[in-house]
Amino acid sequence: MADPKAKKPYDILIIGGGINGCGIARDAAGRGYSVCLAEMNDLASGTSSWSTKLIHGGLRYLEYYEFRLVREALIEREILWAVAPHIVRPLRFILPHHKGLRPAWLIRLGLFLYDYLGGRKALPPTTTIDLSTHETGKPLKPLFSKGFEYSDCWVDDARLVVLNAVDAAERGADIYVRTKVISAKRVGGLWHAVLKDMTTCEERTITARLIVNAAGPWVDAVLTDTVGRTNQNNVRMVQGSHIVVNKMFDHDRCYIFQNDDNRIIFAIPYEQDFTLIGTTDRDYDGDPADVKITQGEIDYLCDAASDYFKTPLAPKDIVWTYSGVRPLYDDGASEAQEATRDYTLKLDKSAEDAAPLVNIFGGKITTYRKLAESMLDIVEAELGAKKPSWTGNGHLPGGNFEIDEVDALVDRLQSSHPFIRRETALRLVRAYGTDTATLLEGITTLDDLGDDFSGASNAGLYASEIDYLMDHEWAQTAEDVLWRRSKLGLRVSKENAKTIENYMQARRTHDKP
């Protein structure tokens, strides 16, 4: 891990490569600060890749009077769609009225606030629909005759993280994956941090003027094990689990279902052929790396969906599950679903001239950019201001096109590379946007793409794309490619995944596969 830059102190060392860490690295690097980010696993390998994959205001947070959080999230929804139209797209949500739960007038009032709390926007407003005649009523039980349709957005959460890291690196940040900060001590007004490469076990020491603890569910562990604090209990860990089943309906809308425990779940079209259902909310006590869906959560999601859909959902219908731990700030709420999703930033300085440490508690993926701006306010106060804020208008890599130009990009890609199937072209544009041109640079024939590792799924995962992900996006394993840089793990067989792993391992050791 020798690095000549390490001889000079970094302005900022960021611990954690989730959405908050990568968002802060991008913002800070773009303002001219020197940044080092260390992630002990892969980027987005924790909470940030296990979300419901929505950029949304959080309709249910209105019930807890979190108006500032909802307003901020609604404004951010528009900004993120504009700066990343390849990985963010609008969705319409169907909320069937359940006569035994919230009254219709209360729902309509909440949706009215939801439409206008964030100011003027490009997304269409709420409408009332007759589910007995509307196409979205067909998959539902006939007792649901009235519904409301409103707008929010979907996001490829793991790619949002990676693209923030890519942009940060392009602006000068040093990004290290599978690198753990094993200790950090204040010495002479600087942080002296020991970084350990988790693959080679090699260690080295860097210095930094300020540390950002963006370790998510591990934020208290960093404080205890890395920095040396004792009795740190700032985070309430809440487990959220999702199930994926084969497609349950043919239209492109999503559903939001109310449950009699006052919670809601979503049913979302997912990866063309599937439906994503979630999430749960339960307190979690254990290592966040070991979190797995419980049978109780499986039953809960199946039962909740079966209350609404004509076709009952059973555990046997599940093709994939995933679980994550949300590191919510412990505000003392009695129920997991009532704990605030807002973020808290805490500055830790033992003396006026001591090297600062800023800890992040809570937050949600929709408001990561605002969280980063709030963090940079602290950085500027501690280290001095450099360049102004900029991310509100700065496109993420590949996102420099208009929100309605996705189909045009696919058409142009097929025109220049007619040997690429349209389904594959759409997947590439949705993942890389205009940077698809960089991925395909020099490729003029089908053979130039290299081996197709997707097998019978015919997903078009070629060696050239894997090479790109290794060279430009820190991918090191088949899991990185199949479950974070993409969701092709839903389609690629275990045998093909092993072939991909062997290819990547051979390439890492500079051997030809």
Side-chain angles (χ1 to χ4, degrees):
M1 294 180 69
D3 185 355
K5 292 183 182 179
K7 296 178 181 178
K8 183 179 180 181
Y10 288 97
D11 290 323
I12 307 168
L13 166 62
I14 300 171
I15 302 175
I19 187 57
N20 290 333
C22 291
I24 292 164
R26 176 185 182 235
D27 194 340
R31 298 196 200 197
Y33 295 98
S34 58
V35 176
C36 175
L37 182 146
E39 162 56 47
M40 64 180 179
N41 296 307
D42 183 29
L43 298 173
S45 57
T47 305
S48 296
S49 61
W50 304 128
S51 75
T52 312
K53 311 186 191 309
L54 298 179
I55 296 292
H56 65 140
L59 180 61
R60 72 184 182 91
Y61 304 148
L62 292 175
E63 290 190 313
Y64 301 108
Y65 308 109
E66 299 216 42
F67 298 113
R68 187 208 59 78
L69 176 62
V70 174
R71 175 176 167 77
E72 182 177 276
L74 289 171
I75 294 171
E76 283 301 295
R77 184 183 63 181
E78 305 278 323
I79 292 173
L80 296 180
W81 183 22
V83 302
H86 48 330
I87 60 169
V88 178
R89 61 178 181 266
L91 289 176
R92 293 290 277 174
F93 286 76
I94 306 300
L95 196 169
H97 176 232
H98 193 303
K99 294 181 180 179
L101 300 177
R102 297 168 180 87
W105 68 264
L106 181 62
I107 294 173
R108 193 64 186 88
L109 176 60
L111 288 169
F112 176 83
L113 289 173
Y114 202 70
D115 280 340
Y116 295 102
L117 197 58
R120 295 180 61 84
K121 58 185 185 296
L123 294 168
T126 299
T127 60
T128 301
I129 57 175
D130 182 352
L131 292 173
S132 65
T133 57
H134 198 272
E135 65 172 334
T136 58
K138 293 178 181 178
L140 303 178
K141 292 179 177 178
L143 66 93
F144 300 106
S145 58
K146 182 178 183 178
F148 305 94
E149 184 177 34
Y150 71 95
S151 295
D152 260 324
C153 287
W154 180 93
V155 66
D156 187 327
D157 51 5
R159 289 212 57 76
L160 182 66
V161 176
V162 170
L163 292 181
N164 271 273
V166 168
D167 203 13
E170 290 176 351
R171 296 174 188 276
D174 292 330
I175 308 292
Y176 296 107
V177 299
R178 292 176 172 84
T179 300
K180 186 174 183 178
V181 182
I182 59 174
S183 69
K185 297 180 180 179
R186 290 181 171 106
V187 180
L190 290 174
W191 284 102
H192 288 240
V194 178
L195 276 60
K196 180 177 181 179
D197 186 311
M198 302 304 288
T199 303
T200 66
C201 294
E202 181 182 352
E203 296 180 7
R204 68 182 175 90
T205 300
I206 67 165
T207 56
R209 299 171 64 196
L210 180 148
I211 287 181
V212 171
N213 179 5
W218 293 272
V219 64
D220 282 341
V222 167
L223 284 169
T224 301
D225 302 334
T226 306
V227 181
R229 297 284 188 270
T230 57
N231 300 319
Q232 296 298 310
N233 295 289
N234 302 282
V235 171
R236 180 174 189 167
M237 293 195 291
V238 174
Q239 177 174 340
S241 297
H242 298 75
I243 60 175
V244 175
V245 300
N246 287 317
K247 186 163 63 173
M248 297 190 70
F249 44 89
D250 293 327
H251 57 79
D252 61 357
R253 274 82 151 195
C254 309
Y255 293 98
I256 174 172
F257 295 146
Q258 305 174 78
N259 301 321
D260 56 13
D261 61 357
N262 208 37
R263 293 210 64 254
I264 56 96
I265 66 165
F266 295 98
I268 303 171
Y270 190 59
E271 297 295 318
Q272 288 79 53
D273 298 319
F274 305 95
T275 299
L276 171 65
I277 297 173
T279 182
T280 58
D281 265 321
R282 63 186 295 270
D283 285 310
Y284 181 79
D285 182 17
D287 186 342
D290 297 331
V291 63
K292 291 180 176 61
I293 194 168
T294 65
Q295 186 60 50
E297 289 178 299
I298 289 174
D299 293 342
Y300 176 86
L301 293 174
C302 288
D303 291 346
S306 297
D307 283 344
Y308 284 85
F309 287 120
K310 288 177 181 175
T311 303
L313 195 61
K316 65 179 177 59
D317 300 316
I318 297 172
V319 299
W320 183 50
T321 70
Y322 65 86
S323 299
V325 175
R326 294 187 287 275
L328 306 182
Y329 183 63
D330 192 353
D331 61 355
S334 58
E335 299 293 338
Q337 64 264 29
E338 295 175 5
T340 182
R341 266 55 176 176
D342 209 348
Y343 54 82
T344 299
L345 309 181
K346 287 194 173 183
L347 174 64
D348 178 328
K349 284 180 67 175
S350 57
E352 185 63 31
D353 59 348
L357 165 68
V358 191
N359 300 295
I360 301 172
F361 305 107
K364 58 198 295 274
I365 197 166
T366 303
T367 52
Y368 87 90
R369 195 193 65 83
K370 290 297 291 183
L371 183 152
E373 288 188 333
S374 297
M375 178 63 72
L376 265 294
D377 289 342
I378 298 175
V379 170
E380 288 181 343
E382 295 297 321
L383 305 185
K386 293 194 175 185
K387 298 177 184 178
S389 62
W390 63 279
T391 57
N393 295 310
H395 289 95
L396 282 166
N400 55 331
F401 62 94
E402 297 299 321
I403 58 177
D404 59 352
E405 288 185 344
V406 170
D407 288 340
L409 286 178
V410 175
D411 290 341
R412 287 200 291 272
L413 175 57
Q414 283 207 285
S415 177
S416 61
H417 298 77
F419 46 87
I420 296 180
R421 298 171 61 246
R422 188 166 185 85
E423 292 83 356
T424 301
L426 177 59
R427 180 182 67 78
L428 293 175
V429 168
R430 279 295 186 192
Y432 308 103
T434 55
D435 281 351
T436 307
T438 304
L439 188 158
L440 297 175
E441 187 174 0
I443 291 174
T444 59
T445 68
L446 183 62
D447 289 341
D448 291 339
L449 289 169
D451 292 339
D452 184 353
F453 290 103
S454 60
S457 71
N458 205 24
L461 178 59
Y462 297 96
S464 54
E465 183 177 359
I466 295 174
D467 292 344
Y468 177 89
L469 293 173
M470 296 182 74
D471 293 340
H472 296 271
E473 296 191 4
W474 301 278
Q476 294 186 14
T477 69
E479 182 181 355
D480 298 348
V481 171
L482 295 175
W483 292 108
R484 283 183 285 277
R485 307 309 185 279
S486 74
K487 288 298 182 287
L488 292 176
L490 285 166
R491 304 177 185 279
V492 171
S493 68
K494 292 181 179 179
E495 292 75 16
N496 284 97
K498 181 62 176 176
T499 303
I500 293 170
E501 187 67 48
N502 292 339
Y503 175 85
M504 296 177 72
Q505 181 177 355
R507 193 174 181 275
R508 287 198 306 271
T509 55
H510 306 289
D511 294 331
K512 291 186 177 181

